[in-house]
Amino acid sequence: MYKVLIVDDRLERKKALLDEDSFKSLKEFERDGVIVITSSLDDNASLLTKERIKEILEPYRVIAIHRSWLLQNNLINIFEEFIKDSDKFFIIFSGGTTTNGFSNNFRSLSINAGKFYTSKLLDFISDCENDIEPSLLRFLYGDSWRLPLLLEYRHLLWCDQGLNNPEKEEQLRALFMPDTEDVSIEYLNKQIEKEKFSYILL
């Protein structure tokens, strides 16, 4: 079982955003010990060091934190440094986030709180309970997660923006392209058509 931690400074937020059945399911996951939901990591959160954060988060494979909690405790920089050095999965959610963004080779996700507290969260936690390796790509896009990323990759090539965003291009290349092959629109078009067909069958 992969344990999940949610740190939300407003614990009532999940009840406001989830429907009744989803909220009940989330409480069941809490009772089963798959997930821990708390309003803070520590009574003196603003004094947390990177070493102490590492110690607290050790039991968890997935950590989801509301951005306002990090801001209130001046922990943004420490957490960003910690995330880069960690092999865990991180979700930073906030009502003020308008676009989804991945970093750290798709191990970190920035997402709107309304998109975080959905039935997808329950599917994601269920995977963790059943020892399925967490996938933030699947959490955000579902089983068809390859299709939107292939479309984004093709867009990068078409607009020649790959040179302006080498980190993103490298992440996408690592997902879809063998090291020995050159990136081409033709290759991506073929992959996109395959994914469209798979998506229709879902």
Side-chain angles (χ1 to χ4, degrees):
M1 180 174 71
Y2 296 112
K3 293 190 68 175
V4 179
L5 173 69
I6 297 178
V7 181
D8 193 338
D9 54 328
R10 286 179 50 215
L11 292 177
E12 68 276 12
R13 192 187 330 261
K14 60 185 181 295
K15 189 170 186 179
L17 293 173
L18 290 169
D19 62 50
E20 186 176 348
D21 288 341
S22 295
F23 181 73
K24 286 180 181 177
S25 297
L26 191 66
K27 298 299 288 183
E28 289 175 11
F29 281 126
E30 277 192 277
R31 283 193 293 273
D32 293 343
V34 185
I35 185 171
V36 172
I37 303 176
T38 180
S39 60
S40 181
L41 286 180
D42 191 87
D43 292 337
N44 296 309
S46 60
L47 301 178
L48 286 173
T49 62
K50 182 181 175 182
E51 290 71 26
R52 177 60 179 148
I53 289 171
K54 182 178 180 180
E55 181 183 337
I56 293 171
L57 299 184
E58 180 59 34
Y60 304 99
R61 186 67 172 143
V62 181
I63 298 98
I65 301 182
H66 197 278
R67 185 174 176 81
S68 64
W69 182 85
L70 292 171
L71 291 172
Q72 289 167 7
N73 293 289
N74 297 314
L75 289 172
I76 285 284
N77 292 336
I78 291 178
F79 255 86
E80 285 180 350
E81 183 182 347
F82 175 75
I83 288 171
K84 287 178 182 178
D85 295 337
S86 176
D87 64 349
K88 298 179 183 294
F89 295 86
F90 290 88
I91 303 171
I92 307 296
F93 60 102
S94 170
T97 300
T98 56
T99 58
N100 306 314
F102 286 101
S103 58
N104 299 317
N105 291 318
F106 301 100
R107 299 181 75 85
S108 300
L109 170 64
S110 176
I111 190 172
N112 182 274
K115 300 293 185 183
F116 173 70
Y117 284 120
T118 67
S119 59
K120 287 183 178 181
L121 175 62
L122 303 176
D123 294 337
F124 182 76
I125 295 170
S126 179
D127 283 348
C128 290
E129 182 179 38
N130 292 306
D131 291 325
I132 298 172
E133 177 74 2
S135 168
L136 298 182
L137 289 165
R138 194 165 59 246
F139 168 70
L140 183 61
Y141 297 119
D143 290 335
S144 61
W145 62 267
R146 290 172 55 90
L147 181 56
L149 291 176
L150 282 165
L151 291 169
E152 182 177 0
Y153 198 176
R154 184 175 66 180
H155 179 74
L156 277 175
L157 294 184
W158 269 347
C159 299
D160 253 348
Q161 293 176 345
L163 295 177
N164 296 329
N165 196 343
E167 181 183 358
K168 183 71 171 186
E169 187 179 15
E170 186 58 36
Q171 288 177 352
L172 291 168
R173 180 183 174 84
L175 279 174
F176 299 119
M177 298 292 294
D179 290 339
T180 56
E181 292 195 33
D182 292 328
V183 180
S184 71
I185 296 289
E186 291 74 18
Y187 174 86
L188 293 176
N189 282 338
K190 289 179 182 177
Q191 297 304 310
I192 287 167
E193 289 307 312
K194 288 180 184 177
E195 289 302 318
K196 282 181 180 178
F197 181 72
S198 298
Y199 181 71
I200 290 170
L201 293 179
L202 289 175

